[in-house]
C-alpha cells in the first residue's frame, strides 16, 4: 500500500468543485432507478433547507467544525499560490472539503474500531519531513501554517487519516487479496510481445462514476482540468480528489506499460508527450485525468536512464546586474568554458573566472530538466553543456565526467506486474469499503 508522501504539493488539499457522492447508495450490481419506486412525475414537498451547505456536522458522534473546514480551505490557498477565487467557487470548495472531512472521519473511526492506532511519533516525523520541504523547522512550519489561516493540527490530522486508512486496508483487504500466477503470466506475455513499444510514467486522478452520475462527474473532471491548466498542482489535486490508491502519493502511477493500463488509457497515453494533460478518459468504473510525466520504450535501454558524474562551474552575478550586463558576462563565461579539456581542467578554468566548482556523482539524467537531458545525451565525456542560468542569479555549465549507461532489460519484472495487479484489485475493494461506511454512517448537520 502507498504511504504518506512528503512532496511539497501534497500537504495541500487543493480542490475544485467536484460533486460529493457520499449519498450514493448504488451497489456494485447497480440497480436501475426505477427499482427505487420513484414516480415519473416527482413532486417535492416542503423546503430544501435541510440540503443546503451547513458549516459543521457530527459523524457517528464526532464533530467536524467550521474551523476544521476553514483550516483545510487555507491549505487550498497555499496550493494555489493564494490566488483569489470567486465566492461561488469558494462555496463549492467548502462543500467538497466538508465531504472529504466526513470521509476522513469515517476512515479513522473504522481503523479505531479495528484497534488500529497510529503512533504520534510517526505523524510528527512526517510533519517534520514536510517542514524540510519548505526549508523550515517543524515549529517554523507550524507558524507558517497559522499565518495562512491553517494549523499544524489540520495537516497532522490528514496525515493521521491517511496512515489509518492505509493500515486498515492492509489488514482487511490487501491481506485477503491475491493475484494468480496465470494473471501475472498473461500480462508478462503481453509485455514481451510489446518489447520496443512505449511505456509511460503517468500521473492519474481517478473519479468513480455510475451511469446515473456520469454527466456530473464528467463536468467536475473538466473543472479539475481547467484548474490544472491554470497552474494548479497535479499532485495536490490528485491527493484531494483521486479515488485511486495512488492518491496519497499525488496520483503517481510510476512507470507502467500499455498492457497494464485500461485500453482507453493506453490509447490516450500513446498520443501524449511529456508534460501533457489529457482527460477525462473513460475507464472501468469511472473517469481518469492523465498527466504524462515521461515516456520510454518497453524492455529497451534508454540513454536518459544513464547515471552521470558531473562537475558544475557556476559564476554568480553581482546584485543589481542588468539583463544587458548579464548577457555580456554569460558570453564571456561561455567563451572561457568552451575550451575546457575534460573534468581535470575544469578547476583551473573556474579559478581564472572566479567561479565555483561542485562535483556530483550518481546523478540520474532523468532528474535533470528536459533541456539539459537533451544536451547531455549527445555529449562526449569531458565536454561541457551550453551555459544556463538567470540574470538575477548567475550562469553555469556542466562538465560531463562520466556516464554509466543503462543495461538493456531482457525480461519483464514479474514482481512489478504482480504488485500493479494487486493494487488495482485492492483499489476496487477499498472504494466499495468506503462506500459502505458512508452508507451506514449517522451524520447530523448543525
Amino acid at each position: 500500500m502507498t504511504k504518506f508522501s512528503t512532496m511539497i504539493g501534497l500537504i495541500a488539499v487543493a480542490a475544485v468543485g467536484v460533486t460529493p457522492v457520499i449519498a450514493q447508495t448504488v451497489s456494485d450490481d447497480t440497480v436501475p432507478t426505477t427499482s427505487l419506486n420513484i414516480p415519473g412525475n416527482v413532486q417535492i414537498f416542503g423546503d430544501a433547507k435541510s440540503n443546503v451547505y451547513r458549516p459543521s456536522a457530527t459523524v457517528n458522534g464526532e464533530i467536524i467544525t467550521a474551523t476544521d473546514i476553514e483550516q483545510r480551505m487555507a491549505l487550498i490557498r497555499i496550493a494555489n499560490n493564494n490566488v483569489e477565487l470567486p465566492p461561488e467557487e469558494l462555496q463549492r470548495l467548502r462543500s467538497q472539503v466538508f465531504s472529504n472531512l466526513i470521509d476522513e472521519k469515517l476512515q479513522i473511526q473504522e481503523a479505531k474500531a479495528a484497534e488500529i492506532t497510529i503512533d504520534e511519533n510517526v505523524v510528527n516525523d512526517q510533519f517534520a519531513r514536510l517542514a524540510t520541504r519548505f526549508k523550515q523547522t517543524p515549529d517554523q512550519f507550524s507558524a507558517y501554517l497559522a499565518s495562512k489561516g491553517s494549523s499544524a493540527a489540520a495537516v497532522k490530522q490528514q496525515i493521521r487519516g491517511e496512515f489509518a486508512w492505509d493500515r486498515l486496508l492492509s489488514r482487511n483487504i490487501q491481506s485477503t487479496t491475491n493475484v494468480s500466477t496465470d494473471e501475472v503470466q498473461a500480462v508478462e506475455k503481453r509485455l514481451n510481445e510489446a518489447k520496443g513499444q512505449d511505456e509511460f510514467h503517468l500521473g492519474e486522478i481517478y473519479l468513480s462514476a455510475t451511469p446515473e452520475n456520469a454527466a456530473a462527474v464528467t463536468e467536475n473532471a473538466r473543472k479539475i482540468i481547467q484548474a490544472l491548466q491554470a497552474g494548479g498542482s497535479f499532485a495536490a489535486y490528485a491527493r484531494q480528489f483521486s479515488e485511486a490508491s495512488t492518491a496519497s502519493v499525488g496520483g503517481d502511477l510510476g512507470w507502467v506499460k500499455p498492457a497494464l493500463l485500461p485500453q482507453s488509457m493506453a490509447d490516450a497515453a500513446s498520443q501524449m508527450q511529456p508534460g501533457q494533460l489529457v482527460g477525462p478518459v473513460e475507464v472501468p468504473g469511472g473517469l481518469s485525468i492523465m498527466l504524462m510525466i515521461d515516456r520510454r520504450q518497453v524492455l529497451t535501454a534508454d540513454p536518459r536512464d544513464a547515471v552521470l558524474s558531473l562537475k558544475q562551474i557556476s559564476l554568480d552575478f553581482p546584485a543589481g546586474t542588468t539583463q544587458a550586463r548579464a548577457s555580456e558576462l554569460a558570453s564571456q563565461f561561455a567563451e572561457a568554458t568552451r575550451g575546457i579539456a575534460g573534468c581535470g581542467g575544469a578547476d583551473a578554468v573556474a579559478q581564472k573566472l572566479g567561479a565555483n566548482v561542485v562535483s556530483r556523482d550518481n546523478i540520474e539524467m532523468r532528474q535533470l530538466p528536459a533541456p539539459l537531458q537533451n544536451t547531455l545525451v549527445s555529449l562526449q565525456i569531458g565536454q561541457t553543456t551550453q551555459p544556463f542560468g538567470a540574470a538575477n542569479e548567475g550562469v553555469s555549465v556542466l562538465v560531463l565526467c562520466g556516464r554509466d549507461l543503462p543495461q538493456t532489460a531482457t525480461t519483464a519484472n514479474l514482481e512489478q506486474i504482480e504488485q500493479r495487479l494487486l493494487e488495482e484489485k485492492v483499489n476496487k475493494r477499498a472504494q466499495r469499503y468506503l462506500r459502505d461506511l458512508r452508507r451506514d454512517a449517522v451524520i447530523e448537520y448543525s
Side-chain angles (χ1 to χ4, degrees):
M1 298 300 296
T2 56
K3 300 298 181 186
F4 183 81
S5 171
T6 58
M7 295 175 64
I8 293 176
L10 299 190
I11 69 151
V13 284
V16 295
V18 176
T19 303
V21 293
I22 59 170
Q24 178 67 34
T25 58
V26 179
S27 67
D28 268 338
D29 357 338
T30 304
V31 292
T33 304
T34 52
S35 68
L36 297 176
N37 194 27
I38 298 176
N41 57 338
V42 171
Q43 179 181 354
I44 303 296
F45 297 98
D47 58 42
K49 290 182 180 178
S50 61
N51 294 323
V52 300
Y53 167 80
R54 300 299 182 88
S56 61
T58 58
V59 181
N60 295 328
E62 294 189 14
I63 298 174
I64 295 173
T65 67
T67 299
D68 294 330
I69 298 168
E70 292 308 314
Q71 288 185 348
R72 293 293 178 92
M73 288 290 293
L75 294 180
I76 295 173
R77 289 191 289 273
I78 294 173
N80 288 291
N81 298 316
N82 296 311
V83 174
E84 290 296 327
L85 298 173
E88 62 274 11
E89 181 69 9
L90 286 173
Q91 183 66 18
R92 187 161 56 242
L93 294 178
R94 284 191 180 90
S95 295
Q96 180 59 41
V97 168
F98 202 172
S99 295
N100 293 337
L101 284 169
I102 290 172
D103 282 352
E104 187 178 275
K105 281 286 186 189
L106 293 172
Q107 291 167 345
I108 293 175
Q109 289 170 355
E110 184 70 2
K112 185 177 180 181
E115 299 183 346
I116 292 174
T117 58
I118 305 302
D119 188 342
E120 285 304 301
N121 291 326
V122 173
V123 175
N124 291 333
D125 286 346
Q126 291 293 351
F127 183 81
R129 291 180 187 178
L130 287 175
T132 62
R133 296 288 178 172
F134 284 79
K135 299 180 179 179
Q136 297 176 353
T137 66
D139 288 342
Q140 291 170 334
F141 190 42
S142 297
Y144 168 76
L145 292 169
S147 72
K148 297 297 183 180
S150 186
S151 69
V155 174
K156 288 182 179 180
Q157 180 69 353
Q158 196 162 9
I159 296 172
R160 196 174 292 112
E162 289 175 350
F163 268 102
W165 185 240
D166 186 55
R167 291 182 183 178
L168 183 67
L169 296 182
S170 295
R171 178 190 295 183
N172 292 359
I173 292 182
Q174 189 173 20
S175 62
T176 59
T177 303
N178 300 303
V179 176
S180 70
T181 302
D182 288 344
E183 290 176 295
V184 174
Q185 289 177 345
V187 174
E188 179 192 19
K189 180 181 178 181
R190 293 200 299 272
L191 289 177
N192 288 327
E193 290 173 349
K195 184 174 181 178
Q197 298 179 11
D198 286 330
E199 63 179 347
F200 317 110
H201 185 185
L202 290 172
E204 178 194 23
I205 298 174
Y206 170 76
L207 306 173
S208 64
T210 65
E212 290 77 16
N213 68 4
V217 174
T218 299
E219 179 59 26
N220 292 325
R222 291 196 179 104
K223 291 177 182 176
I224 294 177
I225 292 171
Q226 290 171 3
L228 294 173
Q229 291 173 335
S233 164
F234 187 93
Y237 277 74
R239 183 168 178 253
Q240 179 67 10
F241 292 113
S242 181
E243 298 173 56
S245 60
T246 55
S248 64
V249 289
D252 191 348
L253 295 178
W255 285 101
V256 293
K257 283 77 175 175
L260 291 176
L261 295 170
Q263 191 59 49
S264 55
M265 288 183 68
D267 292 342
S270 67
Q271 305 298 319
M272 296 171 65
Q273 297 303 316
Q276 187 176 355
L277 187 72
V278 167
V281 176
E282 289 189 18
V283 295
L287 302 170
S288 285
I289 298 168
M290 300 167 56
L291 173 66
M292 178 65 71
I293 300 171
D294 203 351
R295 61 186 298 162
R296 62 190 181 190
Q297 292 187 318
V298 176
L299 302 180
T300 303
D302 189 317
R304 291 181 300 157
D305 287 327
V307 177
L308 309 177
S309 176
L310 301 170
K311 276 191 177 182
Q312 180 175 3
I313 303 175
S314 302
L315 179 66
D316 296 331
F317 291 159
T321 300
T322 64
Q323 184 68 49
R325 179 57 178 160
S327 297
E328 181 183 348
L329 290 172
S331 178
Q332 295 171 0
F333 182 81
E335 183 64 29
T337 56
R338 188 175 294 118
I340 290 177
C343 285
D347 295 84
V349 172
Q351 187 174 11
K352 289 180 181 178
L353 293 170
N356 301 314
V357 179
V358 176
S359 298
R360 291 289 184 269
D361 296 325
N362 299 317
I363 300 296
E364 296 180 11
M365 189 183 295
R366 287 187 183 275
Q367 293 179 341
L368 300 172
L372 287 177
Q373 290 184 35
N374 296 336
T375 298
L376 287 163
V377 162
S378 59
L379 285 187
Q380 300 299 317
I381 302 299
Q383 292 184 322
T384 62
T385 65
Q386 292 175 302
F388 57 91
N392 61 340
E393 296 178 6
V395 63
S396 299
V397 294
L398 296 177
V399 186
L400 181 60
C401 303
R403 179 195 287 122
D404 292 326
L405 295 173
Q407 297 298 312
T408 301
T410 56
T411 59
N413 188 316
L414 300 185
E415 184 177 343
Q416 289 180 356
I417 294 173
E418 182 178 7
Q419 183 60 33
R420 175 66 178 162
L421 292 174
L422 179 63
E423 286 178 357
E424 289 178 354
K425 289 187 175 184
V426 169
N427 182 46
K428 290 178 182 178
R429 292 184 61 188
Q431 291 169 22
R432 292 195 293 268
Y433 195 173
L434 181 57
R435 188 188 57 212
D436 290 342
L437 293 178
R438 291 165 176 161
R439 179 185 298 133
D440 296 337
V442 177
I443 304 174
E444 298 178 86
Y445 296 92
S446 57

